[in-house]
């Protein structure tokens, strides 16, 4: 089973935004998504970016995702399969719609910023 990797990081420059690097199972970079919204919370930005990244994986024929993130609540929700939060339920619904599934998740400490949100 080959997994696509989504490396999703929240970054705080002048404003909060999320950057998702999407890699194919062979390590080839497929796409980079940079998303921000002044009207969304950190969770909203993270989930929206994950949604967009999962759609790209689905468009490339992927079914299985390994998610790496520096955003602790996103890691907690998917690592423990806690789907009682509204954003998580919506995101899981979209992933199901796209035909993709997060099989594994990894919490990373961002060396550049030293930030784990």
């Amino acid at each position: 089973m080959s997994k696509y990797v989504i490396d999703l990081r929240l970054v705080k420059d002048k404003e909060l935004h999320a950057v998702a690097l999407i890699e194919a199972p062979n390590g080839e970079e497929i796409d980079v998504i940079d998303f921000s919204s002044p009207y969304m919370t950190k969770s909203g930005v993270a989930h929206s970016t994950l949604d967009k990244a999962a759609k790209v994986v689905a468009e490339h024929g992927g079914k299985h995702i390994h998610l790496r993130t520096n955003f602790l609540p996103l890691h907690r929700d998917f690592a423990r399969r806690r789907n009682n939060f509204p954003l998580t339920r919506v995101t899981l619904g979209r992933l199901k719609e796209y035909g993709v599934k997060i099989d594994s998740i990894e919490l990373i400490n961002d060396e550049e910023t030293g930030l784990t949100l």
Side-chain angles (χ1 to χ4, degrees):
M1 167 173 56
S2 55
K3 291 184 185 178
Y4 283 72
V5 176
I6 297 176
D7 189 335
L8 190 153
R9 299 174 191 227
L10 286 182
V11 181
K12 182 122 173 115
D13 294 338
K14 294 174 186 158
E15 65 179 359
L16 178 76
H17 60 109
V19 178
L21 171 67
I22 305 159
E23 294 178 359
N26 63 5
E28 177 188 342
E29 183 180 308
I30 294 175
D31 200 356
V32 176
I33 296 171
D34 190 342
F35 178 76
S36 67
S37 172
Y39 307 106
M40 287 186 169
T41 63
K42 286 189 255 185
S43 287
V45 170
H47 280 271
S48 293
T49 308
L50 177 57
D51 181 2
K52 293 173 189 317
K55 189 171 187 178
V56 170
V57 168
E59 289 169 354
H60 282 82
K63 300 277 184 220
H64 303 279
I65 295 173
H66 173 71
L67 176 64
R68 295 187 347 215
T69 184
N70 69 337
F71 187 48
L72 186 60
L74 190 66
H75 174 267
R76 189 179 303 129
D77 290 353
F78 288 102
R80 296 184 184 156
R81 304 291 184 220
R82 293 171 36 179
N83 55 5
N84 55 334
F85 297 106
L87 273 176
T88 308
R89 276 199 309 262
V90 168
T91 302
L92 284 171
R94 294 251 173 81
L95 295 177
K96 194 173 185 180
E97 207 175 282
Y98 302 148
V100 298
K101 180 180 175 190
I102 296 175
D103 290 331
S104 55
I105 186 161
E106 173 186 354
L107 183 64
I108 52 174
N109 185 7
D110 198 338
E111 280 89 33
E112 290 178 13
T113 61
L115 186 66
T116 301
L117 297 170

